[in-house]
Structure formats: structure tokens, C-alpha cells
Amino acid sequence: MEAPLEYAIGIDIGGTTAKFGIVNHRGEISHRGKLATNKHTDVNIFIDELHNALQPAIKEVGGLEMIKGIGVGAPNGNYYNGTIEFAPNLLWRGVIPLAKLISDKFDKPCTLTNDANAAAVGEMMYGAARGMKDFIMITLGTGVGSGIIANGQLILGHDGFAGELGHTVIRPKGRLHPGTGMHGTLETYASATGIVETAKEMLEDNPKQKSVLRKISAKKLDSKAVYEAAIEGDKIAKEVFKFTGQILGEALANFVMFSSPEAIILFGGVIKAGKLLMNPVKKHMEKNLLPIFQNKVKLLFSELKESDAAILGASALVWEIKEKQPE
Amino acid sequence: MEAPLEYAIGIDIGGTTAKFGIVNHRGEISHRGKLATNKHTDVNIFIDELHNALQPAIKEVGGLEMIKGIGVGAPNGNYYNGTIEFAPNLLWRGVIPLAKLISDKFDKPCTLTNDANAAAVGEMMYGAARGMKDFIMITLGTGVGSGIIANGQLILGHDGFAGELGHTVIRPKGRLHPGTGMHGTLETYASATGIVETAKEMLEDNPKQKSVLRKISAKKLDSKAVYEAAIEGDKIAKEVFKFTGQILGEALANFVMFSSPEAIILFGGVIKAGKLLMNPVKKHMEKNLLPIFQNKVKLLFSELKESDAAILGASALVWEIKEKQPE
């Protein structure tokens, strides 16, 4: 038997940057770095830059022979194929065989999955879901993503694309989602973008109601401003979070009746709203559950820093890479 | 090592009858029988009757030593606890430790699960889902039940109650479900009961539209009559199936974006409507899916006789009972 390989490389790919780190078996990240993803349409340039950026770190931990493999979390990442497929927020178009490109370049096995799935695995191994076998992770950022764990495993589906809960319809014929053309999906309401949209609608529908939000130009209005106004007691801003929480709570109730998770873990920029969001979420989730599910599901915030969760989750996939059997 | 135990007993418990059979490893059912479940509020009387009813069959297959165990599918059945909990359609109230009662009486291990879960396992082992690792079974009868398989396993959830898709809300503030007090759940529309309700509403809302359904008294109107009228070209009856199919299709789209199944298998009395239901279901499911999920999910009808699926599925649980390790 060979000595155990001590480190995994975890990479979290986003629309503007890729963050990476070297992770040991205890989930400690070292040698963090980042790299732009919005500079070149040719993914090969990104792979070269990534390779260069990681060389000093790899050398410092003792060379390539100390690295077991590379794990990647990426939007529209497919675990089965190792591909990124038609990711609307990335410059790399179509189907990108990212795992193979990385594996060839680094001469190490590479595993890839959806970014929200990677975050869920990170949370299960090192965060708020430690020891849980059934939970759902919902990421509330510019969009709404999700990663579902059941029976201690990621739910990937027959094609690797399971867990697109942000695109489930929660208000039939509701708000248009410009990216997908669908109406009334969770993402159109519960994302940072959705919160701003709700604020704009409420400002327009209640022209006589004073609000500090009216002082902010439509272009500059963001979910942070709505949150800050709500904290200051702004009536419309508070209503925005009540409404957002109701929609999200109703959606979570439906998810609970699907997989009956021990917990739902919320993650991403929007959770900075804290109780402003959580109180209505909890109220409307419970209200829409069958009695057998009521007052059982823990609603938790992530315990990991945002970028750490995906790096850790991606790196965790590496430990599951099967060694080749000796022949 | 002992000789392999050849048979399992499968039991499907419903609100009026329990159906049972002896099942071999190839999924062949013999010695079928049934027993009333709506006669006695004391479950112990049922257990005694079941024991008596099964004695001749057990003797014929070679005695108790040929039986590996007993599997039960029951409404509100909980796999983890072996209990039936607060089943509204059964006379046995509260929490019934059915698996333990059966196991004690027969001196054989007993495994119990929700009836729709049992049907899903039956379909996976012997029916339309043979060889599939990811599918959803939807039972459309008096109510709407579901069993979810992902990664080749039943999704049970942290408490054993996962898969209550009939109670997910598909029309917020929609039709009242008298049993649960919830509004707009799938079951209020897509069950046989929901179909009759829709027919009554459409007859009332369109008083000038002729319909053969007007000749049937409100008490006697059932989903079979609506189906037969639709086949004969009755306009309102056809509309009823279009509407039901739309709601079910929209709900299925949401389920697909949760677990990305290879197939959705429909099961139960309502599927006798065939294409009348399937065409609008398919249309509205596809319409509400993200492109990455479109034209991939098979919509199938069950290949098993209704009572057989649950008996087979319940018996299949028996083969998974772990033998005690030799000490």
C-alpha cells in the first residue's frame, strides 16, 4: 500500500471569479487564491492560468504526489459527465468538458458538480449539517440554487441535473423570469434580484407611502439597501421581506413534503437579512405542512463562509474518488 | 450456512381491505387472499384474523421455516418505526406498532412502509421501472400518493415520512382539502375525488353547456362517469381532464426539477383515462421544465396490477432484511 495522499484541491467557479484552495483531511483550507473567469471565452486559457496559479501552492505542500485529486463546483456542473453545460453566467458556451481538461492538464483525477451541490457536501462534512443524512441546502444569492442530500448522498438524478429548486413554480402565472422565460418560479422572488423587484413593485403600488428607498435610483437599488431600510423601520422595506419570506416559506413546505429533511440550510448573501427573513419563512413553512411534518424541520443558516463551502464541498468529492484496484 | 428462505409474505393494507400473497424470489405471487380492515377498531383482532388466514398458505409452501419474513405497505406507514401513524382512512387510531405486532404473532421479522413507497419498490423490482435508479411513482386514486426512488433507494427522509407529493401546494389559495385544511394541494385536483369536484364546478360555472353528466345525481357522480362521458365526446367532461392534466403536469415539472428522475410512473384508478389525461399532463409538464430537463423524462403507466404492486413491493422489503450475524 502507498502512503495516503494528504491533500485535495477545491475549486469554486463563479461568473466573475474562480476561488481555489488546498484542503487537508480535516477540512482546513490553505493556499487560497482566485482567478478571473470573465476574461476569456476560451476555457483553455483559464485552464492554463489555473495551472500556473496553483504551481507554487502544490510545490509548498510537497509536490503533485501529495495531491489526491481536484474537485470543482461550477454552475450547471454535471457530476456524471464532468461537464459544465450551457451555463448562462459563464463566458464558456455550450458543453465544456471541464473535468477532463483539468485532469489532463494536472495529470490528476478531477470530479465536478453543480456549485450548490458542492456547497451542500461542504456543509455536510464541515458545516451546519455535520452528521445529517437528510437535508436541503438553499443558496439565496443573485439566483436561487439548491443541493439535496438524502440517505447521506447527493441527489443527482438520472442525468446529474437534480436539485434545481430555484426554478420550481411557486406562483403559477406569476412574475416572469427573464433568463428562462418561466413564470412564478422561486428564483424570481427569493433571490437578491427578486427582492429588488419586489421592492420596486411595492414602491410603485403604494405611491403615497413614504420610503427611504425612493431616494435610491432604480439602477442602484440592491437587496442590501432594502435590508438596511428594513432595519431602520422602513415600512415598505419591511413588507418586502415579509412577502419574500412568505413565498420562500411556502416553497420550503413543498420541498419538505418531498424529501422530509432533518434541516433546511440557507446560504448566500440574502441570509444577511436574518430574522427579518427567517421569521416569515418559518411561519409560512409550518402553515403549509401536513401535521406529521410540523415543528420538526430545523431551519438553519450555513456555518461556512460563502466561498469556503463550495471549495470544501468540491474538495470533499476528491476523497470519494475510487483508487484503481491493483491488478 | 442455512438453506435460503424461499418466500416472503407481502401485505397491502387499505381502508377497506388488506390484500396479501406469498411471493417467491422471482416476484411471483401465490396464495392470494384478502381480509376486511374496516370491521374492528382493535388492531389485535385484525392481527389474529390475518394469522389465521395465512396458516393454510404457509403450510402449503412448506411451513414457517420457508418464510423469510413479512413486508407490509400501509397508509401513513413508517419504515423506521414500523408504525402506522394517524392514518385518517383506517379504524385503528393513533400510532399502531403494526410491524412489531405482526412480528410477535408470526415469529418472523416484519418490515413496513407507506403503501405508495411499497408500490414504487414493486415497480422497480418487477414493473415499469425495472433497472431504473431514479424515478417517481405517483398513485392517482381516491387520494394522491407518491413513492420516490433516487440513487436506487427509497427516499424516506429523516423521519420516514418523505414522499407526500399529493399534499404539495400547486395552486396557492386554491381548492380546500377537507381532510387537511390545506388549500390548493395536488390531491384536491388530481385525485378521483378532485376530478369529480372539478366536474361539479365546471357544470355549475357553465349552466348553458349541455352535458350527460347533468343526468347523474351529485352523489353518484364519480370519476369513471366523467371518463366515460369524455370518451363519448362530452365537452365538459373533456375539459375536466384537460384541466386535471394541466395541474398534474405542472406539479410533475416541479418534481422533476427536484430529483431529475428517468421516469414518472403513474398508477391507480385515475390512469384508466389514458391519453385523455396523459396528453395534457405531458404538454404542461414539458412547458414548465427548464430546457435541460425537457424531452428526457419518460411518462409511463404502471405495468403491475394495482394490488399486486404493493404486495410485491412490500414483499421486496423482506429480501433486504439483514440476517443476524452468527456470534
Side-chain angles (χ1 to χ4, degrees):
Chain A
M1 266 189 55
E2 293 171 53
L5 298 163
E6 292 294 333
Y7 300 99
I9 295 173
I11 306 173
D12 172 29
I13 292 184
T16 46
T17 52
K19 292 169 187 155
F20 54 81
I22 297 204
V23 184
N24 68 15
H25 270 283
R26 288 185 300 279
E28 292 156 349
I29 307 178
S30 66
H31 302 84
R32 289 166 203 269
K34 60 184 176 177
L35 203 61
T37 52
N38 58 357
K39 291 269 166 69
H40 308 285
T41 52
D42 182 353
V43 67
N44 291 295
I45 300 175
F46 169 76
I47 302 282
D48 288 345
E49 290 180 350
L50 180 71
H51 189 251
N52 290 338
L54 273 161
Q55 288 318 303
I58 292 171
K59 202 171 279 178
E60 270 186 51
V61 298
L64 206 57
E65 59 271 27
M66 296 298 285
I67 306 286
K68 179 161 185 206
I70 300 163
V72 182
N76 290 35
N78 188 297
Y79 178 81
Y80 295 131
N81 309 329
T83 50
I84 297 178
E85 305 197 7
F86 309 102
N89 301 325
L90 293 175
L91 289 182
W92 315 323
R93 297 286 170 219
V95 177
I96 305 293
L98 197 80
K100 188 180 182 316
L101 293 173
I102 289 180
S103 179
D104 287 352
K105 185 77 184 182
F106 285 79
D107 196 24
K108 282 284 164 183
C110 177
T111 308
L112 177 147
T113 193
N114 172 308
D115 46 357
N117 285 349
V121 172
E123 210 69 46
M124 177 165 64
M125 296 201 55
Y126 308 111
R130 275 190 311 275
M132 290 186 194
K133 292 192 157 185
D134 300 274
F135 70 94
I136 297 176
M137 176 118 178
I138 305 281
T139 66
L140 301 165
T142 318
V144 173
S146 62
I148 304 155
I149 303 277
N151 295 332
Q153 300 169 345
L154 262 180
I155 297 299
L156 294 163
H158 79 114
D159 57 356
F161 288 118
E164 288 292 349
L165 299 183
H167 299 289
T168 59
V169 175
I170 182 72
R171 285 286 180 274
K173 298 183 182 171
R175 193 179 280 173
L176 174 70
H177 187 290
T180 63
M182 290 168 71
H183 282 268
T185 56
L186 180 60
E187 183 163 289
T188 61
Y189 298 99
S191 62
T193 325
I195 288 173
V196 172
E197 192 70 18
T198 300
K200 286 179 181 170
E201 278 180 20
M202 286 190 175
L203 288 168
E204 207 178 303
D205 293 349
N206 302 282
K208 288 179 185 167
Q209 177 66 50
K210 280 184 194 166
S211 170
V212 296
L213 299 175
R214 298 198 190 276
K215 293 174 194 158
I216 305 169
S217 72
K219 266 194 181 170
K220 284 196 177 161
L221 185 62
D222 60 12
S223 64
K224 189 165 166 270
V226 183
Y227 163 67
E228 283 163 1
I231 291 292
E232 296 296 318
D234 188 86
K235 211 170 165 184
I236 284 194
K238 277 161 65 183
E239 276 303 311
V240 170
F241 280 100
K242 259 173 103 169
F243 174 79
T244 308
Q246 174 174 352
I247 299 244
L248 180 56
E250 290 177 14
L252 296 187
N254 277 356
F255 305 157
V256 167
M257 293 193 285
F258 195 106
S259 69
S260 196
E262 178 177 347
I264 292 174
I265 308 203
L266 301 178
F267 177 86
V270 171
I271 67 169
K272 296 197 182 98
K275 282 186 183 172
L276 263 176
L277 184 71
M278 263 317 209
N279 287 347
V281 166
K282 167 103 180 130
K283 175 179 162 191
H284 290 278
M285 181 181 83
E286 295 295 348
K287 208 170 143 181
N288 285 279
L289 286 173
L290 280 187
I292 48 166
F293 297 109
Q294 281 166 3
N295 302 310
K296 274 179 164 182
V297 186
K298 298 170 198 149
L299 266 183
L300 304 172
F301 285 143
S302 163
E303 286 181 4
L304 299 172
K305 269 193 290 178
E306 230 181 300
S307 56
D308 282 6
I311 291 175
L312 288 171
S315 78
L317 298 172
V318 170
W319 309 124
E320 290 174 18
I321 293 173
K322 299 268 185 322
E323 303 282 352
K324 267 190 192 163
Q325 296 298 316
E327 287 170 41
Chain B
M1 266 188 59
E2 292 172 54
L5 298 163
E6 293 294 333
Y7 299 100
I9 295 172
I11 306 173
D12 172 30
I13 292 184
T16 46
T17 52
K19 290 167 188 156
F20 55 81
I22 297 204
V23 184
N24 68 16
H25 270 284
R26 288 185 300 278
E28 293 157 347
I29 308 178
S30 66
H31 303 85
R32 289 165 202 270
K34 59 184 177 177
L35 204 61
T37 52
N38 59 356
K39 292 270 166 67
H40 307 287
T41 52
D42 183 353
V43 68
N44 291 296
I45 299 175
F46 169 76
I47 302 282
D48 288 344
E49 289 180 350
L50 180 71
H51 189 251
N52 290 338
L54 273 161
Q55 289 319 302
I58 292 171
K59 201 171 279 177
E60 269 186 53
V61 298
L64 205 57
E65 59 271 28
M66 296 298 285
I67 306 286
K68 179 161 184 204
I70 300 163
V72 181
N76 289 33
N78 188 296
Y79 178 82
Y80 295 131
N81 309 331
T83 50
I84 296 178
E85 305 197 9
F86 308 103
N89 301 324
L90 292 176
L91 289 183
W92 316 322
R93 297 287 169 219
V95 178
I96 306 291
L98 196 79
K100 188 181 183 314
L101 293 173
I102 289 179
S103 178
D104 287 352
K105 184 76 186 184
F106 285 79
D107 197 23
K108 282 284 163 183
C110 177
T111 309
L112 177 147
T113 193
N114 172 308
D115 46 356
N117 285 349
V121 172
E123 210 69 46
M124 177 165 63
M125 297 201 55
Y126 308 111
R130 276 190 311 276
M132 290 186 194
K133 291 192 157 184
D134 299 275
F135 70 95
I136 298 176
M137 177 119 178
I138 305 280
T139 66
L140 302 165
T142 317
V144 173
S146 62
I148 304 156
I149 304 278
N151 296 332
Q153 300 170 343
L154 261 180
I155 298 299
L156 293 163
H158 80 113
D159 57 356
F161 287 118
E164 288 292 349
L165 299 183
H167 299 287
T168 58
V169 174
I170 182 70
R171 284 288 181 272
K173 299 186 184 170
R175 193 179 278 171
L176 173 70
H177 187 289
T180 63
M182 290 168 69
H183 283 269
T185 55
L186 180 59
E187 183 163 289
T188 63
Y189 299 100
S191 62
T193 324
I195 288 173
V196 171
E197 192 70 19
T198 301
K200 286 180 181 168
E201 277 179 21
M202 286 190 175
L203 289 167
E204 208 178 303
D205 293 349
N206 303 281
K208 288 179 183 167
Q209 177 67 48
K210 280 184 193 165
S211 170
V212 296
L213 299 176
R214 297 198 192 276
K215 294 174 193 156
I216 305 169
S217 72
K219 266 195 182 169
K220 283 198 177 158
L221 186 62
D222 60 12
S223 63
K224 189 163 166 269
V226 182
Y227 163 66
E228 282 164 0
I231 291 290
E232 297 296 318
D234 188 88
K235 211 170 164 184
I236 284 194
K238 277 161 65 183
E239 275 304 311
V240 170
F241 280 100
K242 260 172 104 169
F243 174 78
T244 307
Q246 173 174 353
I247 299 244
L248 180 55
E250 290 177 13
L252 296 188
N254 277 356
F255 305 157
V256 167
M257 293 192 285
F258 195 106
S259 69
S260 196
E262 178 178 346
I264 292 174
I265 307 202
L266 301 178
F267 177 87
V270 170
I271 67 169
K272 296 197 182 97
K275 284 185 183 174
L276 264 176
L277 184 71
M278 262 318 208
N279 288 348
V281 166
K282 168 101 180 131
K283 176 180 161 189
H284 290 278
M285 180 181 83
E286 296 294 347
K287 208 171 144 181
N288 285 279
L289 286 173
L290 280 187
I292 47 165
F293 297 109
Q294 281 166 4
N295 302 309
K296 274 179 164 182
V297 186
K298 298 170 199 150
L299 266 183
L300 304 172
F301 285 143
S302 163
E303 286 182 4
L304 299 172
K305 271 193 288 179
E306 229 181 303
S307 56
D308 281 7
I311 291 175
L312 287 171
S315 77
L317 298 172
V318 170
W319 309 123
E320 290 175 16
I321 293 172
K322 298 266 186 322
E323 304 283 352
K324 264 192 193 163
Q325 295 298 316
E327 287 170 42

